[in-house]
Amino acid sequence: MLMKKIVILTGAGVSAESGIKTFRDSGGLWEEHRVEDVATFDAWERDPELVLKFYNERRKQLYECKPNAAHIALAELEKKFDVQIITQNVDDLHERGGSTKVLHLHGELKKSRSTMDETLVYPIEGWELKMGDCCEKGSQLRPHIVWFGEAVPNILKAAELSSKADIYMVIGTSLNVYPAAGLLGYVPPYVPKYLIDPNGNEVMGVNNLTIIKEKAGKGVTELVKKLMA
Ligand code: OAD
């Protein structure tokens, strides 16, 4: 039997109940830093130690976090649907929640990559990435994160996946950051779409959108129950 395809775009809000802060709910500061001081290539060139320290802290925190009810419910969906997650998050909570197909748009906190050859990507053992940690070609390793101003290599794949959805879900994202925010535009108009976010609003030009103004833990669990019934 051919399974229906559910494509799910997630953002920081899906991990909020696991204890990871969202970006735009924290008054412009992100864990006490301005984004341009830690999450741009300029920041890396100016002060790589600060950037490494910032991401080391995020990684350390991630080890203390667990997937929440929303991550777990999304993994449940795989029993009945072909489920593809597209996440803007750099945490690994979807994977730890049991989801098997997760496309990361903005990189992964638990990986590093070479500053000389972007195809060289490595898992980070433990929480710390240091100055002097090098790739096999001898250049410094950087966090495997897509910083502001950098290209998003997985966006074409994400757009193609979005165009093939039978059901689309958007969870916990302010839809402020492009190109990810534009993915809804690739979903055919007749496809049912659900937006789960306590601050969710209509999206211009998007049809068939049901807005569920709940936190992910409750909103996703209830929607999954309905879809599985
Ligand atoms: P934002 O911080 O912009 O938006 C978080 C969204 O989650 C908001 O719409 C909140 O209303 C919602 N939210 C808060 N708590 C929630 C909960 N418990 N359940 C569900 N929703 C909740 O985060 P993103 O949209 O993910 O990029 O931000 C996009 C990108 O901007 C991030 O990937 C990051 C950031 O800068 C990089 O790091 C490259």
Side-chain angles (χ1 to χ4, degrees), residues 134-146:
C134 290
C135 74
E136 65 214 54
K137 293 183 179 169
S139 78
Q140 175 65 41
L141 290 172
R142 57 168 271 182
H144 183 45
I145 303 283
V146 175

PDB file of all heavy atoms in Angstrom, residues 134-146:
ATOM      1  N   CYS A 134      41.570  19.987  13.963  1.00  0.00           N
ATOM      2  CA  CYS A 134      41.693  20.151  12.508  1.00  0.00           C
ATOM      3  C   CYS A 134      41.053  19.011  11.722  1.00  0.00           C
ATOM      4  O   CYS A 134      40.886  17.907  12.232  1.00  0.00           O
ATOM      5  CB  CYS A 134      43.176  20.221  12.133  1.00  0.00           C
ATOM      6  SG  CYS A 134      43.924  21.754  12.681  1.00  0.00           S
ATOM      7  N   CYS A 135      40.743  19.305  10.459  1.00  0.00           N
ATOM      8  CA  CYS A 135      40.242  18.271   9.558  1.00  0.00           C
ATOM      9  C   CYS A 135      41.419  17.443   9.044  1.00  0.00           C
ATOM     10  O   CYS A 135      42.581  17.755   9.325  1.00  0.00           O
ATOM     11  CB  CYS A 135      39.488  18.909   8.386  1.00  0.00           C
ATOM     12  SG  CYS A 135      40.554  19.690   7.157  1.00  0.00           S
ATOM     13  N   GLU A 136      41.108  16.423   8.260  1.00  0.00           N
ATOM     14  CA  GLU A 136      42.182  15.535   7.791  1.00  0.00           C
ATOM     15  C   GLU A 136      43.167  16.234   6.852  1.00  0.00           C
ATOM     16  O   GLU A 136      44.266  15.750   6.632  1.00  0.00           O
ATOM     17  CB  GLU A 136      41.575  14.299   7.122  1.00  0.00           C
ATOM     18  CG  GLU A 136      40.806  14.582   5.861  1.00  0.00           C
ATOM     19  CD  GLU A 136      39.604  13.639   5.670  1.00  0.00           C
ATOM     20  OE1 GLU A 136      38.749  13.532   6.581  1.00  0.00           O
ATOM     21  OE2 GLU A 136      39.544  13.010   4.627  1.00  0.00           O
ATOM     22  N   LYS A 137      42.761  17.410   6.339  1.00  0.00           N
ATOM     23  CA  LYS A 137      43.680  18.157   5.473  1.00  0.00           C
ATOM     24  C   LYS A 137      44.445  19.223   6.255  1.00  0.00           C
ATOM     25  O   LYS A 137      45.175  20.028   5.677  1.00  0.00           O
ATOM     26  CB  LYS A 137      42.914  18.812   4.321  1.00  0.00           C
ATOM     27  CG  LYS A 137      42.323  17.804   3.338  1.00  0.00           C
ATOM     28  CD  LYS A 137      41.631  18.521   2.182  1.00  0.00           C
ATOM     29  CE  LYS A 137      41.070  17.510   1.192  1.00  0.00           C
ATOM     30  NZ  LYS A 137      40.181  18.158   0.203  1.00  0.00           N
ATOM     31  N   GLY A 138      44.207  19.267   7.552  1.00  0.00           N
ATOM     32  CA  GLY A 138      44.998  20.156   8.406  1.00  0.00           C
ATOM     33  C   GLY A 138      44.425  21.539   8.657  1.00  0.00           C
ATOM     34  O   GLY A 138      45.092  22.380   9.243  1.00  0.00           O
ATOM     35  N   SER A 139      43.167  21.788   8.237  1.00  0.00           N
ATOM     36  CA  SER A 139      42.625  23.132   8.526  1.00  0.00           C
ATOM     37  C   SER A 139      41.661  23.086   9.719  1.00  0.00           C
ATOM     38  O   SER A 139      41.070  22.047  10.029  1.00  0.00           O
ATOM     39  CB  SER A 139      41.954  23.730   7.291  1.00  0.00           C
ATOM     40  OG  SER A 139      40.686  23.170   7.109  1.00  0.00           O
ATOM     41  N   GLN A 140      41.525  24.233  10.350  1.00  0.00           N
ATOM     42  CA  GLN A 140      40.689  24.353  11.558  1.00  0.00           C
ATOM     43  C   GLN A 140      39.253  23.874  11.284  1.00  0.00           C
ATOM     44  O   GLN A 140      38.699  24.132  10.220  1.00  0.00           O
ATOM     45  CB  GLN A 140      40.668  25.827  11.998  1.00  0.00           C
ATOM     46  CG  GLN A 140      39.759  26.147  13.170  1.00  0.00           C
ATOM     47  CD  GLN A 140      40.195  25.488  14.478  1.00  0.00           C
ATOM     48  OE1 GLN A 140      41.383  25.436  14.784  1.00  0.00           O
ATOM     49  NE2 GLN A 140      39.239  24.984  15.245  1.00  0.00           N
ATOM     50  N   LEU A 141      38.679  23.198  12.258  1.00  0.00           N
ATOM     51  CA  LEU A 141      37.267  22.808  12.170  1.00  0.00           C
ATOM     52  C   LEU A 141      36.388  23.928  12.719  1.00  0.00           C
ATOM     53  O   LEU A 141      36.747  24.591  13.691  1.00  0.00           O
ATOM     54  CB  LEU A 141      37.026  21.530  12.969  1.00  0.00           C
ATOM     55  CG  LEU A 141      37.630  20.251  12.396  1.00  0.00           C
ATOM     56  CD1 LEU A 141      37.489  19.107  13.395  1.00  0.00           C
ATOM     57  CD2 LEU A 141      36.975  19.878  11.070  1.00  0.00           C
ATOM     58  N   ARG A 142      35.223  24.126  12.108  1.00  0.00           N
ATOM     59  CA  ARG A 142      34.231  25.105  12.566  1.00  0.00           C
ATOM     60  C   ARG A 142      32.931  24.355  12.866  1.00  0.00           C
ATOM     61  O   ARG A 142      32.752  23.213  12.411  1.00  0.00           O
ATOM     62  CB  ARG A 142      33.973  26.164  11.489  1.00  0.00           C
ATOM     63  CG  ARG A 142      33.517  25.566  10.163  1.00  0.00           C
ATOM     64  CD  ARG A 142      32.995  26.617   9.189  1.00  0.00           C
ATOM     65  NE  ARG A 142      31.557  26.822   9.396  1.00  0.00           N
ATOM     66  CZ  ARG A 142      30.812  27.645   8.665  1.00  0.00           C
ATOM     67  NH1 ARG A 142      31.354  28.356   7.691  1.00  0.00           N
ATOM     68  NH2 ARG A 142      29.525  27.784   8.894  1.00  0.00           N
ATOM     69  N   PRO A 143      32.019  24.976  13.590  1.00  0.00           N
ATOM     70  CA  PRO A 143      30.716  24.324  13.787  1.00  0.00           C
ATOM     71  C   PRO A 143      30.031  24.096  12.431  1.00  0.00           C
ATOM     72  O   PRO A 143      30.159  24.923  11.525  1.00  0.00           O
ATOM     73  CB  PRO A 143      29.934  25.341  14.624  1.00  0.00           C
ATOM     74  CG  PRO A 143      30.975  26.181  15.299  1.00  0.00           C
ATOM     75  CD  PRO A 143      32.120  26.260  14.328  1.00  0.00           C
ATOM     76  N   HIS A 144      29.317  22.988  12.322  1.00  0.00           N
ATOM     77  CA  HIS A 144      28.598  22.665  11.076  1.00  0.00           C
ATOM     78  C   HIS A 144      27.227  23.332  11.118  1.00  0.00           C
ATOM     79  O   HIS A 144      26.192  22.699  11.260  1.00  0.00           O
ATOM     80  CB  HIS A 144      28.466  21.144  10.960  1.00  0.00           C
ATOM     81  CG  HIS A 144      27.803  20.681   9.693  1.00  0.00           C
ATOM     82  ND1 HIS A 144      28.110  21.182   8.466  1.00  0.00           N
ATOM     83  CD2 HIS A 144      26.830  19.750   9.477  1.00  0.00           C
ATOM     84  CE1 HIS A 144      27.375  20.589   7.545  1.00  0.00           C
ATOM     85  NE2 HIS A 144      26.576  19.722   8.129  1.00  0.00           N
ATOM     86  N   ILE A 145      27.284  24.669  11.065  1.00  0.00           N
ATOM     87  CA  ILE A 145      26.074  25.489  11.207  1.00  0.00           C
ATOM     88  C   ILE A 145      26.021  26.420  10.008  1.00  0.00           C
ATOM     89  O   ILE A 145      27.058  26.921   9.570  1.00  0.00           O
ATOM     90  CB  ILE A 145      26.168  26.381  12.494  1.00  0.00           C
ATOM     91  CG1 ILE A 145      26.377  25.546  13.760  1.00  0.00           C
ATOM     92  CG2 ILE A 145      24.970  27.306  12.605  1.00  0.00           C
ATOM     93  CD1 ILE A 145      25.174  24.844  14.293  1.00  0.00           C
ATOM     94  N   VAL A 146      24.814  26.630   9.487  1.00  0.00           N
ATOM     95  CA  VAL A 146      24.642  27.619   8.422  1.00  0.00           C
ATOM     96  C   VAL A 146      24.459  28.972   9.103  1.00  0.00           C
ATOM     97  O   VAL A 146      23.456  29.210   9.768  1.00  0.00           O
ATOM     98  CB  VAL A 146      23.410  27.291   7.555  1.00  0.00           C
ATOM     99  CG1 VAL A 146      23.168  28.391   6.526  1.00  0.00           C
ATOM    100  CG2 VAL A 146      23.588  25.938   6.854  1.00  0.00           C
TER     101      VAL A 146
END
